[in-house]
Amino acid sequence: MTLLWLKALHVFFMIAWMAGIFYLPRLFVYHAATKEQVVRDQLKVMERRLWLFITPFAFLTLGFGIAAIYVYGADWLKASGWMHVKLLLVSLFYVYHFYLWHLMKRFARDENTHSPKFYRFLNEAPVLALLAIVVLAILKPF
């Protein structure tokens, strides 16, 4: 029963984290497109609050995922090749998360150098990584 709770909480916090991590670059699209300082200032507040809201979800996702792996055991982890690929992709999401923080800090200083098109790509590309993670977790292909 403990493992099921760990997995349920892991998935719940992952969904909450992904909702925010996909919305933050969308705010960047709007931020990069606007010329009005009042709008920029409002977007800065929204971006900061969203990042602070979703960051605990990122750490809770990680904590419950590690706890589930611990319960499964080292032998299971060694035998689960799919999990190694999943963990690599997940680690890229953490890099992505903190790259968004870096971009948010640049917006906060009015130092953005990227176009709205760049942020659209940044917003949409990680969807494929998430699809790969879900496929690996459900199908366990190797």
Side-chain angles (χ1 to χ4, degrees):
M1 186 62 126
T2 300
L3 182 59
L4 293 177
W5 274 106
L6 291 173
K7 288 168 63 174
L9 290 169
H10 174 69
V11 170
F12 171 77
F13 287 115
M14 183 273 305
I15 291 169
W17 177 36
M18 288 298 114
I21 211 168
F22 290 144
Y23 185 54
L24 185 56
R26 180 54 52 186
L27 291 175
F28 293 166
V29 170
Y30 304 140
H31 199 150
T34 189
K35 303 282 188 229
E36 298 178 38
Q37 191 61 44
V38 169
V39 175
R40 286 182 184 171
D41 291 342
Q42 182 61 44
L43 287 166
K44 288 176 193 179
V45 171
M46 293 171 67
E47 291 157 0
R48 185 177 141 281
R49 286 181 180 170
L50 179 59
W51 198 86
L52 290 173
F53 182 72
I54 65 171
T55 297
F57 298 150
F59 288 111
L60 287 164
T61 299
L62 181 63
F64 285 112
I66 290 170
I69 290 171
Y70 178 79
V71 170
Y72 273 113
D75 291 336
W76 172 86
L77 181 59
K78 287 177 191 172
S80 302
W82 64 271
M83 178 58 85
H84 297 232
V85 177
K86 178 188 173 211
L87 290 173
L88 174 66
L89 292 171
V90 166
S91 67
L92 293 176
F93 263 104
Y94 284 92
V95 170
Y96 178 75
H97 182 93
F98 287 99
Y99 179 61
L100 294 179
W101 175 78
H102 168 74
L103 293 171
M104 182 188 69
K105 291 300 207 180
R106 293 192 64 160
F107 273 117
R109 295 186 307 263
D110 292 321
E111 296 175 356
N112 174 52
T113 57
H114 299 294
S115 70
K117 188 175 184 178
F118 170 83
Y119 293 111
R120 278 190 198 93
F121 175 77
L122 194 68
N123 180 227
E124 295 163 2
V127 172
L128 298 176
L130 181 59
L131 173 63
I133 289 169
V134 170
V135 167
L136 287 166
I138 301 297
L139 300 180
K140 299 171 181 45
F142 49 89

